[in-house]
Amino acid sequence: MKCRQCQKSAVIKMERHNTSLCGGCFNLYVHDQVDRAITEQKMFDHGEQILVAISGGKDSLALWDVLIKLGYRTAGLHLDLGIEAYSEVSRKKVETFAASRGLDLIVHPYKEAYGLGVIEIAEETARPACSACGTMKRYHFNRIAMERGFPVVATGHNLDDEASRLLGNVLQWQEEYLEKQSPVLSDEGGTWARKVKPLFRLAEREIAAYSILNRIDYIVDECPMSKGAKMLLYKDILNRLEEASPGTKHKFYLGFLKRPRAATATAKPVDLHPCQSCGQPTPGAVCGFCRLMQRVTP
Amino acid sequence: MKVKLYHPTREIILKGPKQVAVLLRELNLPKEAHLVICGDELVTEDLVIPDDQTVEIRPVISGGE
C-alpha cells in the first residue's frame, strides 16, 4: 500500500478518510488535526502555559508530544492513583517521558496525600470506580492548575472517547451532560481553569499509531478498574458501526458539535461559590470531592 | 509466525505466510480497534507476514470513565 501524499510505503490505512499515509505524512496529518482543533475551538494560544494531564497512556503522552512539537509552553500533571503495579508502571512511563525531553512534571500521589488509593476510596464510598476516579481527577486538575497559575488544562480525550460519551448521554437522555459536552469547557470568568481536548478530531487508532511511530513508550495495559465499564461497551459498538460504515464516529460527534444546542438547553446558569471545606468553586455548600473524602476520612 | 497478543498478554504460534487483514479476521479482532507491528514497524493490512516473523497485535482502546 502506498502513501496517498508521497507514494512511499504506507504505515496506516484510514478508512474514514479513504486514504493511506506513510510515517512522515501521517505525523503531519496528526499535527494538522491538533492544530485545527486548537485554532477552530479557540482552546489556547502560544502565550498561555498549558497544564497537560498525563496518565502514562498513549493519548496523554501523544498529546504532550504534539503540543511540544507545535511550540506550546507546557508542564505535565500526573495523578498517581495508587493502583498498585498499574500505577507504578504508569508513573514510570510519565517520568521517563518527561525526563527524556527535559519537561516540567508535577506528580500528585494519592496515597501520600490521602493515605488511600482510588480503589480504596471507591470501595469505601460504594461508588463505581470510574465515577470516583473521575470526580477526583477533575478536582485535582482544576485545583492544581489554579494553585500553580495555569489558565488551561489539556486532556488526551480523543474522538472515540467523545463519541462514546455522546452515545452514552443520548442513550440515557442526559440532557444536562449533552448540553455541556464540548471540546472546550469555559473558565467561567476565571473561576475554573479552562478544560480543553485537543485530540478530539483524532480516532483512538490514529493516536495509538502516532505513539508507536514516534517511539512513545506508553502503558498498553488497561486500567484494572475499567473492566466492564460502559464506555468500553459503547466504544466497541461504535467500532462495529465504523467498520461497516467508515466515518460514523466522526460524523456522529462532529455533527453533534455543529448542531445548535437550543433543543437540549434546559440547565439554568450555575451559581458558584467557594466550597466550605476546600475553597474550590462549587454549586453546592461542599464540593463533590470533599463530599467524597468526608465519607472515607474518619 | 509468533503473534503477541494482549488482554491477557500472551504469545501464540500461527502458520504463515499470512496477510495482516486475514490474521486479524481469523483472530476475530476488529481492525478499528487494533494495530499490527511487524518487527519494529507499523504495517498496513495488505502486508503479507512471512512464517518466520514475529508480530504484535496491539489493542488501541482504553479508558473507563
Side-chain angles (χ1 to χ4, degrees):
Chain A
M1 205 176 283
K2 298 286 182 198
C3 173
R4 184 139 176 197
Q5 299 290 333
C6 71
Q7 301 305 307
K8 285 184 190 162
S9 285
V11 295
I12 186 165
K13 184 179 181 190
M14 294 183 289
E15 300 274 5
R16 75 183 174 115
H17 294 307
N18 190 25
T19 197
S20 306
L21 295 175
C22 70
C25 290
F26 181 71
N27 275 343
L28 290 176
Y29 158 79
V30 169
H31 291 178
D32 182 58
Q33 290 296 312
V34 175
D35 188 43
R36 194 170 157 187
I38 294 167
T39 308
E40 279 184 357
Q41 297 286 333
K42 299 181 175 61
M43 290 184 177
F44 45 76
D45 57 44
H46 283 88
E48 293 177 293
Q49 199 174 12
I50 301 137
L51 188 62
V52 191
I54 307 292
S55 68
K58 64 184 188 310
D59 303 297
S60 57
L61 287 174
L63 171 62
W64 206 2
D65 183 88
V66 174
L67 291 180
I68 296 157
K69 286 174 180 166
L70 292 177
Y72 288 101
R73 294 163 56 215
T74 64
L77 168 61
H78 177 67
L79 302 176
D80 183 333
L81 308 176
I83 309 175
E84 295 165 355
Y86 178 78
S87 289
E88 285 169 29
V89 175
S90 302
R91 181 169 170 171
K92 187 84 189 154
K93 303 273 187 205
V94 174
E95 288 176 340
T96 303
F97 181 93
S100 69
R101 290 159 172 82
L103 300 167
D104 291 335
L105 174 67
I106 302 160
V107 176
H108 183 73
Y110 283 2
K111 282 203 170 167
E112 279 177 35
Y114 311 113
L116 295 170
V118 73
I119 295 177
E120 294 82 17
I121 292 169
E123 281 173 356
E124 288 206 21
T125 55
R127 286 269 297 272
C130 293
S131 164
C133 189
T135 297
M136 294 186 71
K137 278 182 179 171
R138 284 187 290 276
Y139 176 83
H140 287 102
F141 291 162
N142 193 63
R143 180 171 179 170
I144 293 169
M146 296 299 277
E147 283 176 356
R148 306 220 181 194
F150 291 92
V152 189
V153 176
T155 59
H157 291 94
N158 57 51
L159 177 62
D160 294 51
D161 294 323
E162 295 307 295
S164 59
R165 184 185 304 273
L166 176 59
L167 179 61
N169 287 340
V170 168
L171 288 174
Q172 294 164 52
W173 287 118
Q174 304 260 32
E175 294 188 14
E176 192 186 340
Y177 292 160
L178 279 168
E179 192 189 334
K180 284 181 189 162
Q181 187 172 354
S182 168
V184 181
L185 294 179
S186 156
D187 64 2
E188 300 290 345
T191 310
W192 312 97
R194 191 157 69 253
K195 312 290 188 313
V196 297
K197 303 172 181 177
L199 300 184
F200 81 91
R201 299 183 63 88
L202 289 161
E204 194 146 28
R205 182 170 174 270
E206 293 162 9
I207 297 164
Y210 180 86
S211 298
I212 293 164
L213 280 170
N214 291 279
R215 313 288 180 211
I216 294 171
D217 183 22
Y218 66 90
I219 184 161
V220 179
D221 291 333
E222 266 299 321
C223 171
M225 303 310 293
S226 70
K227 215 172 215 174
K230 278 271 172 52
M231 281 298 178
L232 294 175
L233 172 64
Y234 297 150
K235 282 186 178 182
D236 182 46
I237 290 164
L238 285 169
N239 277 337
R240 285 164 198 249
L241 290 170
E242 184 76 21
E243 292 218 13
S245 181
T248 296
K249 287 183 284 196
H250 179 107
K251 280 179 267 185
F252 182 48
Y253 183 59
L254 275 76
F256 165 73
L257 293 182
K258 283 182 190 159
R259 276 174 160 63
R261 303 291 175 98
T264 58
T266 54
K268 295 178 181 130
V270 179
D271 182 23
L272 297 171
H273 38 81
C275 167
Q276 287 174 2
S277 178
C278 72
Q280 286 288 294
T282 177
V286 178
C287 74
F289 171 77
C290 289
R291 287 200 308 274
L292 186 78
M293 296 310 290
Q294 281 167 0
R295 292 167 66 185
V296 295
T297 310
Chain B
M1 72 180 77
K2 201 184 283 183
V3 184
K4 182 177 181 184
L5 296 161
Y6 291 86
H7 308 328
T9 302
R10 63 202 187 278
E11 278 187 357
I12 59 170
I13 305 291
L14 295 175
K15 185 152 177 51
K18 206 180 281 284
Q19 198 182 43
V20 168
V22 174
L23 175 65
L24 288 171
R25 199 161 52 237
E26 285 182 0
L27 292 169
N28 197 26
L29 298 172
K31 280 189 291 185
E32 190 60 24
H34 294 85
L35 288 167
V36 177
I37 304 164
C38 190
D40 216 13
E41 302 298 326
L42 198 57
V43 293
T44 49
E45 61 201 60
D46 61 327
L47 186 87
V48 177
I49 303 162
D51 188 52
D52 60 353
Q53 187 62 267
T54 298
V55 294
E56 177 185 343
I57 302 181
R58 194 176 289 195
V60 303
I61 304 301
S62 62
E65 193 243 337

Coordinates of all heavy atoms in Angstrom, one line a residue, chain A residues 1 10-12 15 58 130 138 204-205 208-209 212 215 218 220 222 226 231-232 235 239 242-243 249, chain B residues 6-7 9 30-35 37 40-46 58-65:
Chain A
M1 N 0.8 -1.2 0.0 CA 0.0 0.0 0.0 C 0.9 1.3 0.0 O 1.9 1.3 0.8 CB -0.9 0.0 1.3 CG -2.1 0.7 1.1 SD -3.2 0.6 2.6 CE -3.8 -1.1 2.4
A10 N 3.1 3.0 2.8 CA 2.2 3.5 3.9 C 2.4 2.7 5.1 O 2.8 1.5 5.1 CB 0.7 3.4 3.4
V11 N 2.1 3.3 6.3 CA 2.1 2.6 7.6 C 0.7 2.5 8.2 O 0.5 1.7 9.1 CB 3.1 3.3 8.6 CG1 4.5 3.2 8.1 CG2 2.6 4.7 8.8
I12 N -0.2 3.3 7.6 CA -1.6 3.2 8.2 C -2.6 3.5 7.1 O -2.4 4.4 6.2 CB -1.8 4.2 9.4 CG1 -3.1 4.0 10.0 CG2 -1.5 5.6 9.0 CD1 -3.3 4.7 11.4
E15 N -9.7 4.3 6.8 CA -10.9 4.1 6.0 C -11.8 5.3 6.0 O -12.4 5.6 5.1 CB -11.7 2.9 6.6 CG -10.9 1.6 6.5 CD -11.0 0.8 5.2 OE1 -11.6 1.4 4.3 OE2 -10.5 -0.3 5.1
K58 N -1.4 6.2 25.9 CA -1.0 6.7 24.6 C -1.5 8.1 24.3 O -0.8 8.9 23.7 CB -1.5 5.7 23.5 CG -3.0 5.7 23.4 CD -3.5 4.7 22.4 CE -5.0 4.8 22.3 NZ -5.8 4.8 23.6
C130 N -14.8 4.1 38.3 CA -14.5 5.1 37.3 C -15.2 6.5 37.7 O -14.7 7.5 37.3 CB -15.0 4.7 35.9 SG -14.1 3.3 35.2
R138 N -11.0 15.4 38.1 CA -11.5 16.7 37.7 C -11.1 17.7 38.8 O -10.7 18.8 38.5 CB -13.0 16.7 37.5 CG -13.4 16.1 36.2 CD -14.9 16.3 35.9 NE -15.7 15.4 36.8 CZ -16.0 14.2 36.6 NH1 -15.6 13.6 35.5 NH2 -16.7 13.5 37.4
E204 N -9.0 7.0 18.2 CA -8.1 6.3 19.1 C -7.0 5.5 18.4 O -5.8 5.5 18.8 CB -8.9 5.4 20.0 CG -8.3 4.9 21.2 CD -9.2 4.7 22.3 OE1 -10.4 4.4 22.1 OE2 -8.8 4.8 23.5
R205 N -7.4 4.9 17.3 CA -6.4 4.1 16.5 C -5.3 5.0 15.9 O -4.2 4.6 15.8 CB -7.2 3.4 15.4 CG -6.4 2.5 14.5 CD -7.3 1.6 13.6 NE -6.6 0.8 12.7 CZ -6.2 1.3 11.5 NH1 -6.6 2.5 11.1 NH2 -5.6 0.5 10.7
A208 N -2.9 5.9 18.7 CA -2.0 4.8 19.0 C -0.9 4.6 18.0 O 0.2 4.4 18.3 CB -2.8 3.5 19.1
A209 N -1.3 4.8 16.7 CA -0.4 4.7 15.6 C 0.7 5.8 15.7 O 1.9 5.6 15.5 CB -1.1 4.8 14.3
I212 N 3.2 4.8 18.4 CA 4.1 3.8 18.0 C 5.1 4.3 17.0 O 6.3 4.1 17.2 CB 3.3 2.6 17.4 CG1 2.4 1.9 18.4 CG2 4.2 1.6 16.7 CD1 1.3 1.0 17.9
R215 N 7.8 6.4 18.7 CA 8.5 5.6 19.7 C 8.2 6.2 21.1 O 9.0 6.3 22.0 CB 10.0 5.7 19.5 CG 10.5 5.4 18.1 CD 10.4 3.9 17.8 NE 10.8 3.7 16.4 CZ 10.3 2.7 15.6 NH1 9.3 1.9 16.0 NH2 10.8 2.5 14.4
Y218 N 4.4 4.0 26.0 CA 3.2 4.2 26.9 C 2.7 2.9 27.5 O 3.1 1.8 27.0 CB 2.0 4.8 26.1 CG 1.5 4.0 24.9 CD1 0.4 3.1 25.2 CD2 2.0 4.0 23.7 CE1 -0.1 2.4 24.1 CE2 1.5 3.3 22.6 CZ 0.4 2.4 22.9 OH -0.1 1.7 21.9
V220 N 0.4 -0.1 27.8 CA -0.6 -0.7 26.9 C -1.7 -1.3 27.7 O -2.9 -1.4 27.3 CB 0.1 -1.7 26.0 CG1 -1.0 -2.4 25.1 CG2 1.1 -1.1 25.1
E222 N -4.7 -2.2 30.2 CA -5.9 -1.5 30.6 C -5.8 -1.1 32.1 O -5.2 -1.9 32.9 CB -7.1 -2.4 30.4 CG -7.9 -2.3 29.1 CD -8.4 -0.9 29.0 OE1 -8.9 -0.3 29.9 OE2 -8.3 -0.4 27.8
S226 N -11.2 -0.5 35.0 CA -12.2 -0.2 33.9 C -12.9 -1.4 33.3 O -13.7 -1.3 32.4 CB -11.4 0.6 32.7 OG -10.5 -0.3 32.1
M231 N -18.3 2.6 29.0 CA -17.6 3.4 27.9 C -16.9 2.4 27.0 O -16.9 2.6 25.7 CB -16.5 4.3 28.5 CG -17.1 5.6 29.0 SD -17.9 6.5 27.7 CE -18.5 7.9 28.6
L232 N -16.4 1.3 27.5 CA -15.7 0.3 26.6 C -16.8 -0.4 25.8 O -16.5 -0.7 24.6 CB -14.9 -0.7 27.5 CG -13.7 -0.1 28.3 CD1 -13.1 -1.2 29.2 CD2 -12.7 0.4 27.3
K235 N -17.7 2.0 23.0 CA -16.6 2.1 22.0 C -16.6 0.9 21.1 O -16.4 1.0 19.9 CB -15.2 2.2 22.7 CG -14.9 3.5 23.3 CD -13.5 3.6 23.8 CE -13.2 5.0 24.3 NZ -11.8 5.1 24.8
N239 N -17.2 1.0 17.2 CA -16.2 0.5 16.2 C -16.8 -0.5 15.3 O -16.4 -0.6 14.1 CB -15.0 -0.2 17.0 CG -14.0 0.8 17.5 OD1 -13.9 1.9 16.8 ND2 -13.3 0.6 18.5
E242 N -18.4 1.6 12.8 CA -17.3 2.2 12.0 C -16.8 1.3 10.9 O -16.5 1.7 9.8 CB -16.2 2.6 12.9 CG -15.0 3.4 12.2 CD -15.4 4.9 11.9 OE1 -16.3 5.4 12.5 OE2 -14.7 5.4 11.0
E243 N -16.7 0.0 11.2 CA -16.2 -1.0 10.3 C -17.2 -1.2 9.1 O -16.8 -1.3 8.0 CB -15.8 -2.3 10.9 CG -14.7 -2.2 11.9 CD -13.7 -3.4 11.9 OE1 -13.8 -4.2 11.0 OE2 -12.9 -3.4 12.8
K249 N -18.1 7.5 13.5 CA -17.8 8.2 14.7 C -17.6 9.7 14.5 O -18.0 10.5 15.2 CB -16.5 7.6 15.3 CG -16.7 6.2 15.9 CD -15.4 5.7 16.5 CE -14.4 5.2 15.5 NZ -13.4 4.3 16.1
Chain B
Y6 N -2.6 -9.1 23.6 CA -2.8 -8.5 24.9 C -4.2 -8.9 25.5 O -5.1 -9.3 24.8 CB -2.8 -7.0 24.8 CG -1.4 -6.5 24.5 CD1 -0.9 -6.4 23.2 CD2 -0.5 -6.1 25.5 CE1 0.4 -6.0 22.9 CE2 0.8 -5.7 25.3 CZ 1.2 -5.6 24.0 OH 2.5 -5.1 23.7
H7 N -4.4 -8.6 26.8 CA -5.6 -8.8 27.5 C -6.1 -10.3 27.4 O -7.2 -10.5 26.9 CB -6.7 -7.9 27.0 CG -6.3 -6.4 27.0 ND1 -5.5 -5.9 27.8 CD2 -6.7 -5.4 26.1 CE1 -5.3 -4.6 27.5 NE2 -6.1 -4.3 26.5
T9 N -1.8 -10.7 28.2 CA -0.6 -10.7 27.4 C -0.2 -12.2 27.2 O -0.1 -12.9 28.2 CB 0.5 -9.9 28.1 OG1 0.0 -8.6 28.3 CG2 1.8 -9.9 27.2
P30 N -11.3 -6.8 15.6 CA -11.7 -5.7 14.7 C -10.5 -4.8 14.3 O -9.7 -4.4 15.2 CB -12.7 -4.9 15.6 CG -13.0 -5.7 16.8 CD -11.9 -6.7 17.0
K31 N -10.5 -4.5 13.0 CA -9.4 -3.6 12.5 C -9.4 -2.3 13.2 O -8.3 -1.7 13.4 CB -9.6 -3.4 11.0 CG -9.2 -4.5 10.1 CD -9.2 -4.1 8.7 CE -10.6 -3.9 8.2 NZ -10.7 -3.6 6.7
E32 N -10.5 -1.7 13.5 CA -10.6 -0.4 14.0 C -10.1 -0.3 15.4 O -9.8 0.8 15.9 CB -12.1 0.1 14.0 CG -12.4 1.5 14.3 CD -11.7 2.5 13.4 OE1 -11.4 2.2 12.2 OE2 -11.5 3.7 13.8
A33 N -10.0 -1.5 16.1 CA -9.6 -1.5 17.5 C -8.2 -2.0 17.7 O -7.7 -2.2 18.8 CB -10.6 -2.3 18.3
H34 N -7.4 -2.3 16.6 CA -6.1 -2.9 16.7 C -5.1 -2.3 15.7 O -5.6 -1.9 14.6 CB -6.2 -4.4 16.5 CG -7.0 -5.1 17.6 ND1 -8.4 -5.2 17.6 CD2 -6.6 -5.6 18.8 CE1 -8.8 -5.8 18.7 NE2 -7.7 -6.1 19.4
L35 N -3.9 -2.4 16.0 CA -2.8 -2.1 15.1 C -1.8 -3.3 15.1 O -1.7 -4.0 16.1 CB -2.0 -0.8 15.6 CG -2.8 0.5 15.4 CD1 -2.0 1.6 16.2 CD2 -2.9 0.9 13.9
I37 N 2.1 -4.5 14.5 CA 3.5 -4.1 14.5 C 4.3 -5.4 14.0 O 4.2 -6.4 14.7 CB 4.0 -3.6 15.8 CG1 3.1 -2.4 16.3 CG2 5.4 -3.2 15.8 CD1 3.2 -2.1 17.7
D40 N 9.7 -4.0 14.1 CA 9.6 -2.8 14.9 C 8.7 -1.7 14.2 O 8.6 -0.6 14.6 CB 11.0 -2.2 14.9 CG 11.3 -1.5 16.2 OD1 10.5 -1.7 17.2 OD2 12.3 -0.8 16.3
E41 N 8.0 -2.2 13.1 CA 7.3 -1.2 12.3 C 5.8 -1.5 12.2 O 5.4 -2.6 12.2 CB 7.9 -1.3 10.8 CG 9.4 -1.0 10.7 CD 9.8 0.4 11.1 OE1 9.0 1.3 10.9 OE2 10.9 0.5 11.7
L42 N 5.1 -0.4 12.2 CA 3.7 -0.4 12.0 C 3.4 -0.8 10.5 O 4.0 -0.3 9.6 CB 3.1 1.0 12.2 CG 1.7 1.2 12.5 CD1 1.2 0.4 13.7 CD2 1.4 2.7 12.7
V43 N 2.4 -1.8 10.3 CA 2.2 -2.2 9.0 C 0.7 -2.1 8.6 O -0.2 -2.2 9.5 CB 2.7 -3.7 8.8 CG1 4.2 -3.8 8.9 CG2 2.0 -4.7 9.7
T44 N 0.5 -2.0 7.3 CA -0.9 -1.9 6.8 C -1.5 -3.3 6.6 O -0.8 -4.3 6.5 CB -1.0 -1.1 5.5 OG1 0.0 -1.6 4.6 CG2 -0.7 0.4 5.8
E45 N -2.8 -3.4 6.4 CA -3.5 -4.7 6.3 C -3.2 -5.5 5.1 O -3.5 -6.7 5.1 CB -5.0 -4.4 6.5 CG -5.6 -3.6 5.4 CD -6.9 -3.0 5.8 OE1 -6.9 -2.2 6.7 OE2 -7.9 -3.3 5.1
D46 N -2.6 -4.9 4.0 CA -2.3 -5.7 2.8 C -1.0 -6.4 2.9 O -0.7 -7.3 2.1 CB -2.3 -4.8 1.6 CG -1.3 -3.7 1.7 OD1 -1.0 -3.3 2.8 OD2 -0.7 -3.3 0.7
R58 N -1.6 -4.9 18.7 CA -1.8 -4.0 19.8 C -3.2 -3.5 19.9 O -3.6 -2.8 18.9 CB -0.7 -2.9 19.8 CG -0.6 -2.2 21.1 CD 0.4 -1.2 21.1 NE 1.8 -1.7 21.1 CZ 2.9 -1.0 21.4 NH1 2.8 0.3 21.7 NH2 4.1 -1.5 21.4
P59 N -3.9 -3.7 21.0 CA -5.2 -3.0 21.1 C -5.1 -1.5 21.2 O -4.1 -1.1 21.8 CB -5.8 -3.7 22.3 CG -4.7 -4.1 23.1 CD -3.5 -4.4 22.1
V60 N -6.0 -0.8 20.7 CA -5.9 0.7 20.8 C -7.0 1.3 21.7 O -7.0 2.5 22.0 CB -6.0 1.3 19.4 CG1 -4.9 0.8 18.5 CG2 -7.3 1.2 18.8
I61 N -7.9 0.5 22.2 CA -9.0 1.0 23.0 C -8.6 1.1 24.5 O -8.1 0.1 25.0 CB -10.2 0.2 22.9 CG1 -10.6 0.0 21.4 CG2 -11.4 0.7 23.7 CD1 -10.9 1.3 20.7
S62 N -8.9 2.2 25.1 CA -8.6 2.3 26.5 C -9.7 3.2 27.2 O -10.4 3.9 26.5 CB -7.2 2.9 26.8 OG -7.2 4.2 26.2
G63 N -9.7 3.2 28.5 CA -10.5 4.1 29.2 C -11.8 3.6 29.8 O -12.4 2.7 29.2
G64 N -12.1 4.0 31.0 CA -13.3 3.6 31.6 C -14.3 4.7 31.9 O -15.5 4.6 31.5
E65 N -13.8 5.8 32.4 CA -14.7 6.9 32.8 C -15.4 7.6 31.6 O -14.8 7.7 30.6 CB -13.9 8.0 33.5 CG -14.7 9.0 34.3 CD -14.5 10.4 33.7 OE1 -13.4 10.6 33.2 OE2 -15.4 11.2 33.9

